[in-house]
Every structure is written in structure tokens, then in C-alpha cells.
Amino acid sequence: MTPPLRSALDFLLHDWLHAESLTARERFADHSRETFDAVLDTCERIAREKYAPFNRTVDTEEPRFDGERVILPQCTHDARQAYAESGMLSAAQDYELGGMQLPYVVESAANAFFGVASISISSSLLTTGNANAILAHGTALQQQVFAANEFNGRWTGTMCLSEPQAGSSLSDIATRAVSDGEDFERDPLGPRYRLQGNKMWISAGEHEMTENIVHLVLAKIPGPDGRLVPGVKGISLFIVPKHLVDTEGRLTGERNDVALAGLNHKLGWRGTTNTLLNFGEGRYPVRGSAGAIGYRVGQPGEGLKCMFHMMNEARIAIGMAATMLGLAGYYASLDYAKTRLQGRPIGAGGKDTTQPQVPLIEHADVKRMLLAQKSYCEGALALNLYCARLVDEVRTGEPQAAAEARLLLEVLTPIAKSWPSENCLEANSLAIQIHGGYGYTRDFPVEQYWRDNRLNMIHEGTHGIQAMDLLGRKVVMQGGAGLALLARAMGRTLDEARGHAQLAGWADQLAQALQDVEATTRAAWATGDAQQALANAVPYLQAFGHMVLAWTWLDVALAVLRSDTTLSIAASQGRMGAARYFYHYELPRIGAWLAVVARRDMTCADMSASMF
């Protein structure tokens, strides 16, 4: 692994977020800086030994189906086993569940090593998210049988939402769940149903790495007339295991009626199986009839409510994945720029061709591209760790602090997912550019990082969906309380920054950006017409995200100024340089984005299909 990542994580965790202060709380009382460092050391080692050497392998040796089972490279099995044995699947869980009771911010930082090393060799975060959803909404026995066996690494988990005909429009899903027999409500594993339908884009939906796969499936329970309830209110959540189990978690020997219909072959993330699954088609009749057996989680019609527990975690995880891929490209292009000799710098009198060639990094435009990557990726890393720290506050803070953290997290989640997905992808593009022609060959890793990262603007809610969530719900809910809370948090940073001469100008820029975003939010909704307000939701998301990242960089810059002299001078100067770049080159861009939102510009929305 690259030392810059560990240095960045240590600074952000301890000098900026003061993660060690969490050990004063009862849940984390057994921990210390030493135990946090030990977890990071372990994950860094596993990533270096079991993930990084095989990143190209899992890209070129895609999952394949031999008619009976999915074949994966041995390195994928080994990486999953090493991760499971490390205890990271249950890192944040209670001791009673075999967990470490580790703060989520430390867990997130530790998982960063795996993202940089090989993003697609493992799908462990899906398993953790699945188990967490069951833990939050399942019965005690569902938690014991399904969640516990996912946390201990014995089984893996998926999330099955989308369908071929529905895409992101979950209100249009057609998978049906009908009660299984007159005694369906008395099954100890939960109310028992038979599911029929198709689920698309299911990551890790079929493999042989574990003895069982626990699918969390969204489906609709028909009404008394046999018809599916329209909209999202009819959606319920079900546990559908690949192999049926008893109340002790033992396999019964019965294969559930879940069949692989096909593997999707993707641009990136090729190491993870991505599947179309058929539920209840009769390929594997169970107990004498077709229909996949599933156990309802939570109440009927509350499936999305339960699943969103998993989806919000997944969105933050995707933001972190995008960030790690951006950093991987940045580190590769930085190394290349330092070692590749090409061209001569321009002096006062122009180029002197009699002089020897210099490393690429000596050229001003290469420095620009490196600094852009640094500001995007290290800024995104800081934001995602800040969101993880908010999760710890929600879980262990005092009631008022926890409530505020929950509201702030609601506002920031669309940014934490989408901003890195767009801007760290741009970082990957710049990494290719620095490599020149070599960048788009397979002799260098940066083209793979770009391909892997391109999926993240679609993963877990597209850019447009996140934008409408932000402008259509998050900043206006509770009378704008979330945006007001964010403004107060930013205000505390602004007040402190104005006390430092070198940061005062940035503080003024950020204060103006905040005023502009607030004014634009009001202007967008001035007519109360949702179609007009949301017509330019994506430019709003882009501007809002840039404002949040500018705030993040200002707060990080304050931490640099507060830090003791043991920190590397070069590292501190690098962070200040990245912050300066963001304020000089990036924050000024928000004016054009906000302008179309504020005037409710309908240029795009008014185009009819025939005009294209």
C-alpha cells in the first residue's frame, strides 16, 4: 500500500476528527489510539497481501458460469476469507455478536485500504449492510440466524431492489410475495411467503465462496383482489436464502427456488459477480412447488423503510469507493509524474533544448492536474470520514447531539455519495491524461481505475436521483431545518477561520457561497412548482457539493494550523496547497450552476422528444 494513504488517514482521524475522544464513551471504552492503529495496521497488511496484487487478475478473469456454478479466481476466495477472518465484517457490532465495538469512523478508515487496493475483489460491504438491516428491523431469531452468520463470515448477503423493467423506479417493481399456507404467520423465522419475480444488477448474487447467500428482496404483497398495490406503499422486505435453514442456522438440504438467469458483463468492477436472478420460476421447486420461500422483515408495506437503512450505508460506502479509486489513480499518476522524464520547462526565455529532460512533475500543467486530483480525492476522503463520524454521534451521542447529527447526515448523504462519484472520476481522467498515451493502455492501472469508478455515478441511486433527493426533500424538510443546521456548522468554521489571516479570504468566499446557495434554494421553490424547482436539480447538487467540499477543506486547513510540529511540513504544505487550489479553481464555478437553478431555467425540461 502507498504510505500517503496511511498518513492522510492518521491526520484526518486524529488531528482533525479527534477519533480518540470517542473512547471516553462507554461503548468504546475498551479502545485507545493503539487499538485503532492496530486495526488500521491489520487492514493495510491484508490489503497489501491479498487484494492489491490481484487487482488486474480480477479485472481480466471475469466471473463465468459453467452451467452449474459461477467460477471466480482463487484470489477472490482468498481475499474474502482473509477479510472475514480479520473480524471486519462485524467491526462495529456488539461484543455479543462477535464484534469489536469499533467506532464507525475507524471502521471506514480501515476499509479504505481495501478500496485503494482492489475495489471489486470483495463485496463484503454488501454483506455488512444486509446484516445491519436485519439487525435493525428483523426479529430476534432473524438476527440470530441470518445477521449473525453474515457477520461471522459464514454466509454472504445481497440487496435485491431493481428489476429489468423498473430500473431505479422502485414503485414499478413487479415481484410478488404471497402467503405460504394457512400457518404462514407462525413460522419461527418470520411470516413465510412465496416470491416470484426477477431482480437485476444484483452484485454477489451467485457464487460458491460461502455455503449460503442471504438475499434481501423487495417485493409486493397482492391486495385482496390479487392485484399489486401501486406505488411504494405496497413494497415489503423479505429474507430469501439461497439454501433453506432451520432455527439453529443449519442448512436443511433444501435449495430455495432462486436461479441465476445470467451474468452481467460490466465496464468495471469486473471482479464482483453481477447477476440477473429469477425468484420462484420453478427451476428449484421447494417443498413440492415453485416459488422462492422468503421471510418477511418488519411490517407489510414498510419494505423501503427497512431497506433504506441499508441503502444509506451503501450510499456512503459508494462515495468512499469512488474516493478510493480516485486516490488510487492519483497515487499512480503522481509516481509516474515523478519518474517519467519528458520535455523541458519553460523559463523566462522559453525552452532551452540543450538542457536534459525533466520529470513530468516539473511542468506547471502536470502540477495542476495532480493538485486537482489531490483536492478532489483528499477532500472527498475527509467528507466521507466526517459523515462516518456523524454516524458514531447518532449511535452514541447525547440525545440532542444525536438528533442533530442524524439531521445533518440526512442532508450530507447525497453529497457524500454523488460528489466523489463525479469528481473522483474526473480525477481518474486526469490520471490517464498525465500518463499520456500509456494511460489508456493496459500496461498501466489508471484505465482500470477509471472504468471501475465510472459505475459509481449509477450505483446506489444515480446522480439525478440524489439531486432530486437533495433539492426536493433534504434541504426543505422540516421547514429547511437541515440546511439551517448545516449553515450553523459552517458558521462555526467561518468564525474560527476569520481569526487566521491566511484563511480569512477563503472564509469570506465560503460565506458568500453559503448565502448564494440559500438564496438559490428559496428561488427554486418560489413558485411552489416542483417541476420548475427540480428541473435543474443536478446543477444544484454540483454547486451544493462544491460548497460542502470548500467547507471541508477550510476545516481541514484549520486542523493543519492547529496541529503540532511533529507533522510533516511537506504534508501540511500539501494540504494547504490543495485547499488553496479548491478555493482558487473550484469554488468560483458554482455561480453558473446556481444561476440556472435560481431562474428556474426550463431550457432542458421544455424540450420535447421530437426535438432531439
Side-chain angles (χ1 to χ4, degrees), residues 202-224:
I202 310 307
S203 293
E206 179 59 34
H207 55 75
E208 301 292 326
M209 291 190 292
T210 54
E211 68 175 20
N212 209 356
I213 301 173
V214 179
H215 301 292
L216 274 182
V217 184
L218 290 181
K220 290 185 176 181
I221 301 172

Side-chain angles (χ1 to χ4, degrees), residues 445-465:
V446 287
E447 59 85 26
Q448 182 185 343
Y449 297 142
W450 187 92
R451 287 188 289 104
D452 285 342
N453 217 354
R454 185 58 187 86
L455 278 61
N456 288 320
M457 287 180 69
I458 298 172
H459 277 155
E460 304 307 329
T462 65
H463 234 43
I465 289 172

Side-chain angles (χ1 to χ4, degrees), residues 46 49-51 54 57-58 61-64 69-86 89 118 120-124 153-154 156 206-211 213 242 271-273:
I46 295 172
E49 296 175 356
K50 300 294 186 179
Y51 282 58
F54 308 105
T57 301
V58 297
E61 297 181 23
E62 292 186 66
R64 56 187 175 86
R69 60 195 182 97
V70 171
I71 309 298
L72 293 166
Q74 183 60 41
C75 61
T76 304
H77 293 258
D78 295 342
R80 194 212 70 85
Q81 186 68 23
Y83 188 88
E85 291 176 351
S86 75
L89 284 167
S118 181
S120 74
I121 199 172
S122 171
S123 57
S124 296
R154 184 180 166 204
T156 57
E206 179 59 34
H207 55 75
E208 301 292 326
M209 291 190 292
T210 54
E211 68 175 20
I213 301 173
K242 175 181 175 180
T272 301
T273 56

Side-chain angles (χ1 to χ4, degrees), residues 220-512:
K220 290 185 176 181
I221 301 172
D225 60 359
R227 297 181 179 179
L228 298 182
V229 179
V232 299
K233 292 182 179 179
I235 297 175
S236 300
L237 182 64
F238 301 87
I239 295 170
V240 184
K242 175 181 175 180
H243 298 283
L244 297 183
V245 300
D246 63 19
T247 56
E248 300 297 320
R250 295 172 300 212
L251 301 189
T252 64
E254 299 168 288
R255 171 70 188 261
N256 207 355
D257 196 5
V258 182
L260 175 68
L263 294 175
N264 297 310
H265 299 283
K266 303 170 294 176
L267 173 77
W269 284 60
R270 293 175 172 174
T272 301
T273 56
N274 190 272
T275 63
L276 169 60
L277 297 179
N278 291 342
F279 290 83
E281 68 172 359
R283 172 77 181 275
Y284 301 103
V286 57
R287 297 176 186 173
S289 62
I293 289 179
Y295 307 99
R296 197 184 71 228
V297 178
Q299 296 301 310
E302 295 188 356
L304 272 187
K305 175 184 174 182
C306 298
M307 186 64 96
F308 265 111
H309 186 281
M310 181 179 183
M311 290 168 67
N312 283 331
E313 282 187 23
R315 285 170 175 170
I316 294 173
I318 288 299
M320 185 65 94
T323 300
M324 292 304 105
L325 286 164
L327 279 171
Y330 168 56
Y331 295 147
S333 63
L334 176 61
D335 181 66
Y336 187 81
K338 287 181 175 179
T339 56
R340 166 73 174 182
L341 300 179
Q342 187 168 319
R344 295 159 183 85
I346 299 176
K351 286 187 179 181
D352 183 353
T353 57
T354 66
Q355 295 298 312
Q357 294 193 99
V358 298
L360 281 173
I361 201 169
E362 296 301 325
H363 299 289
D365 194 54
V366 173
K367 291 180 182 180
R368 176 190 63 82
M369 290 187 284
L370 288 169
L371 199 50
Q373 291 180 73
K374 184 178 177 70
S375 73
Y376 297 158
C377 301
E378 291 187 7
L381 176 60
L383 173 62
N384 276 282
L385 289 178
Y386 176 75
C387 288
R389 178 64 182 80
L390 288 176
V391 171
D392 286 320
E393 199 62 34
V394 169
R395 293 174 177 173
T396 64
E398 295 298 323
Q400 180 63 30
E404 290 189 354
R406 184 177 292 106
L407 181 58
L408 190 54
L409 195 58
E410 284 282 326
V411 175
L412 291 178
T413 295
I415 305 302
K417 187 274 172 185
S418 291
W419 198 93
S421 298
E422 178 178 14
N423 292 279
C424 294
L425 177 68
E426 174 61 19
N428 288 137
S429 181
L430 292 172
I432 292 173
Q433 191 71 21
I434 287 171
H435 280 74
Y438 292 107
Y440 48 72
T441 70
R442 289 201 166 196
D443 297 316
F444 291 84
V446 287
E447 59 85 26
Q448 182 185 343
Y449 297 142
W450 187 92
R451 287 188 289 104
D452 285 342
N453 217 354
R454 185 58 187 86
L455 278 61
N456 288 320
M457 287 180 69
I458 298 172
H459 277 155
E460 304 307 329
T462 65
H463 234 43
I465 289 172
Q466 301 297 333
M468 288 190 287
D469 182 44
L470 178 66
L471 181 54
R473 192 166 73 90
K474 298 297 178 62
V475 298
V476 295
M477 65 184 187
Q478 300 178 32
L483 180 55
L485 179 62
L486 175 62
R488 290 196 296 274
M490 292 173 63
R492 291 190 290 272
T493 301
L494 292 170
D495 289 343
E496 184 178 354
R498 288 185 176 117
H500 297 271
Q502 66 193 99
L503 303 183
W506 298 349
D508 290 341
Q509 271 186 268
L510 180 58
Q512 185 61 56

